[in-house]
Amino acid sequence: EQSLKEYTKYAAEAKSAESKAAGAVKAQEKVVASAKKAVITDSDKLSSAKNQQMPQAAIKELSVKAAQSKETLKAEEKKLADLTKTASKAASDLKNAEKGVSQSKD
């Protein structure tokens, strides 16, 4: 059975990991929000170019840019999902560590 000292150390490490993971999720949420804005902006520009019957070269360039921004958004959303899983595990680890500290005090 682990000692109170070991559980306390584990809890401190778990708290640090949970805090870092939560911070990473918040930062990535901002990146995703920015990527979403870029998709909307690029999509609007493309629609506008088509409505104004701009030259095909310009429409093609805007189409490529819109597709790239959608791919970027997908990649950033994947990163967010991964970070969210990591943060969830860190929160669970912290809860378990705190439970261990509590039980070893009894």
Side-chain angles (χ1 to χ4, degrees), residues 15-37:
K15 188 171 185 71
S16 173
E18 192 273 338
S19 177
K20 287 177 186 172
V25 167
K26 276 193 169 183
Q28 189 62 24
E29 285 172 342
K30 290 178 183 174
V31 171
V32 168
S34 177
K36 282 181 182 176
K37 286 179 187 171

Side-chain angles (χ1 to χ4, degrees), residues 19-94:
S19 177
K20 287 177 186 172
V25 167
K26 276 193 169 183
Q28 189 62 24
E29 285 172 342
K30 290 178 183 174
V31 171
V32 168
S34 177
K36 282 181 182 176
K37 286 179 187 171
V39 167
I40 292 167
T41 299
D42 292 342
S43 180
D44 289 349
K45 285 180 183 176
L46 178 58
S47 293
S48 178
K50 286 178 179 177
N51 290 338
Q52 294 174 24
Q53 297 179 336
M54 291 180 82
Q56 283 301 310
I59 290 173
K60 185 176 181 180
E61 189 176 315
L62 289 169
S63 293
V64 168
K65 187 156 176 25
Q68 288 171 337
S69 60
K70 284 180 184 175
E71 286 301 312
T72 298
L73 176 59
K74 276 169 90 174
E76 296 302 342
E77 286 177 330
K78 167 93 172 72
K79 285 182 196 173
L80 178 58
D82 292 345
L83 287 169
T84 301
K85 281 182 196 169
T86 300
S88 177
K89 183 185 181 319
S92 175
D93 289 348
L94 176 58

Side-chain angles (χ1 to χ4, degrees), residues 3-22:
S3 69
L4 175 60
K5 188 176 181 180
E6 289 171 321
Y7 273 120
T8 303
K9 181 178 182 246
Y10 177 60
E13 290 169 355
K15 188 171 185 71
S16 173
E18 192 273 338
S19 177
K20 287 177 186 172

